[in-house]
Amino acid sequence: MHYFGERSALDYFNAQGDVRARQISAGELSKNPSLLRSYASVVNVLAPELIPSREIAETTYYVDSLGFMWQEADLPPNSLVRQVKAYFVQDVFGSVENLDRLGVRRVTAVSGIVSAPEPSTRKPQPDGVHALVNLGGLSNPAGSASADAYLPLVDRLLGTLDDPTYQFSVAMNCGASTFSLSVAGPSQRYSEQEFQKALADCDVIVSSPGLTTLIESSQAGRPYVPLPPQNWSQVVICEHMSRLSTQEIWQFLATPYHAIDARAEEASKAAAVRDINRALARDETFAARFGRLAQQTVRAGEVPVVGHPYRGADEVAASIAADLGVADRTGGTPARGEKQ
């Protein structure tokens, strides 16, 4: 088995102790389309740009964690994603129904795709709060300028939680650079196992609202305080969570982005999110309101309920193994059904 990726995906692979990954790009595949042709099958995790031809699409098992957010502009009729051998999607926020609306076929629903949780060794801190700050890969289709806009915003908002009772640690999976936040301190690059351990040992997670971390928080039973969205998928997640959660902070975070046209192409929406975040970093009223709502959310201790039973990775692996006629060593059961 060989691993390929670029940007945050490559960073994630390389942060694991037992995985060696090679960088690959859409440009490289266009120049050398035979690169993937030598493999009998390909598992592609949300990287449609790395499906170079219909021939490769027909050997590809596609895994989509964000099926709820796609519009017609993202999946046009000639999209090679529509030609894949099998399309697995996390069954959250109406993903299956949305893909059906767009006419995507061969869709198989799976539960949350996350790693197995680590046991907690934390000791109770009656007079303190250990907050794990997670910013993921600082990923946005609008490019690195988005991180340049996002980090000052996060730095300012965490300042509203500056309290002697808070102990912060900062996690990320981006290997390109490190950074330090005024209140929370320097970032730490974790492997998946290390992140699961940090999550098990924290009292609350404060995170950009990426779906994987939201599901991991749900699985670990940890209260969750969202930061503003980094990209368009996280805007949509805030909207969905505002209807599922009792906490006002979700709707508060979704509101600044309401003027963005959901029908636009993802890169355009991502750039709009970046520009709004740059403006919010200068907005004293927004920061003060965030601080009040974040403190309220910490006190409420609400754990998100998303992705149960958290067996999506095993469900995908078992289904692919069954299709290829090979032994499945994950202990998983095949995914829950295919919509033709």
Side-chain angles (χ1 to χ4, degrees), residues 58-135:
E58 291 173 349
T59 65
T60 294
Y61 298 93
Y62 191 71
V63 184
D64 181 0
S65 58
L66 302 173
F68 56 87
M69 68 171 279
W70 305 127
Q71 301 287 326
E72 291 181 2
D74 303 305
L75 287 169
N78 63 345
S79 171
L80 288 171
V81 172
R82 293 178 178 271
Q83 307 299 326
V84 295
K85 183 175 186 179
Y87 193 125
F88 298 96
V89 66
Q90 287 187 127
D91 192 11
V92 297
F93 303 147
S95 289
V96 174
E97 293 79 4
N98 188 52
L99 292 172
D100 185 51
R101 177 183 66 84
L102 295 171
V104 180
R105 298 294 178 254
R106 295 182 294 280
V107 173
T108 300
V110 299
S111 62
I113 301 174
V114 289
S115 301
E118 290 288 317
S120 174
T121 58
R122 65 178 180 154
K123 297 178 181 179
Q125 301 181 40
D127 299 321
V129 176
H130 178 198
L132 176 63
V133 179
N134 177 56
L135 303 180

Side-chain angles (χ1 to χ4, degrees), residues 148-169:
D148 296 336
Y150 191 69
L151 286 175
L153 172 59
V154 169
D155 210 17
R156 180 162 198 168
L157 297 184
L158 290 179
T160 67
L161 301 176
D162 190 8
D163 184 291
T165 63
Y166 277 76
Q167 174 191 345
F168 292 98
S169 55

Side-chain angles (χ1 to χ4, degrees), residues 266-277:
E266 187 183 5
S268 172
K269 292 181 287 192
V273 172
R274 174 201 62 205
D275 294 343
I276 291 169
N277 285 344

Side-chain angles (χ1 to χ4, degrees), residues 80-328:
L80 288 171
V81 172
R82 293 178 178 271
Q83 307 299 326
V84 295
K85 183 175 186 179
Y87 193 125
F88 298 96
V89 66
Q90 287 187 127
D91 192 11
V92 297
F93 303 147
S95 289
V96 174
E97 293 79 4
N98 188 52
L99 292 172
D100 185 51
R101 177 183 66 84
L102 295 171
V104 180
R105 298 294 178 254
R106 295 182 294 280
V107 173
T108 300
V110 299
S111 62
I113 301 174
V114 289
S115 301
E118 290 288 317
S120 174
T121 58
R122 65 178 180 154
K123 297 178 181 179
Q125 301 181 40
D127 299 321
V129 176
H130 178 198
L132 176 63
V133 179
N134 177 56
L135 303 180
L138 291 175
S139 179
N140 186 317
S144 60
S146 294
D148 296 336
Y150 191 69
L151 286 175
L153 172 59
V154 169
D155 210 17
R156 180 162 198 168
L157 297 184
L158 290 179
T160 67
L161 301 176
D162 190 8
D163 184 291
T165 63
Y166 277 76
Q167 174 191 345
F168 292 98
S169 55
V170 184
M172 64 184 299
N173 60 29
C174 178
S177 62
T178 57
F179 57 88
S180 184
L181 298 171
S182 301
V183 174
S187 63
Q188 302 175 66
R189 186 186 181 200
Y190 288 132
S191 69
E192 179 62 27
Q193 185 176 14
E194 290 168 337
F195 178 77
Q196 291 294 333
K197 185 68 171 61
L199 180 60
D201 289 343
C202 76
D203 296 304
V204 61
I205 183 161
V206 182
S207 178
S208 57
L211 184 57
T212 297
T213 307
L214 194 63
I215 295 174
E216 288 171 328
S217 177
S218 177
Q219 177 182 233
R222 290 293 173 267
Y224 187 101
V225 178
L227 291 164
Q230 293 186 42
N231 51 45
W232 178 249
S233 70
Q234 295 182 6
V235 173
V236 180
I237 288 169
C238 285
E239 291 282 8
H240 281 285
M241 287 303 298
S242 72
R243 295 187 285 272
L244 297 174
S245 170
T246 64
Q247 298 305 302
E248 186 181 348
I249 194 169
W250 289 103
Q251 186 58 60
F252 169 74
L253 291 178
T255 298
Y257 310 90
H258 280 173
I260 300 175
D261 185 353
R263 298 166 298 179
E265 292 186 353
E266 187 183 5
S268 172
K269 292 181 287 192
V273 172
R274 174 201 62 205
D275 294 343
I276 291 169
N277 285 344
R278 185 177 288 118
L280 290 177
R282 302 188 294 269
D283 189 330
E284 294 181 6
T285 302
F286 179 85
R289 179 69 171 154
F290 172 86
R292 291 192 293 271
L293 291 176
Q295 293 278 12
Q296 176 181 307
T297 305
V298 171
R299 290 192 296 270
E302 182 180 273
V303 176
V305 181
V306 182
H308 181 80
Y310 322 112
R311 295 282 295 168
D314 289 344
E315 292 164 7
V316 170
S319 292
I320 294 175
D323 188 56
L324 295 176
V326 298
D328 169 36

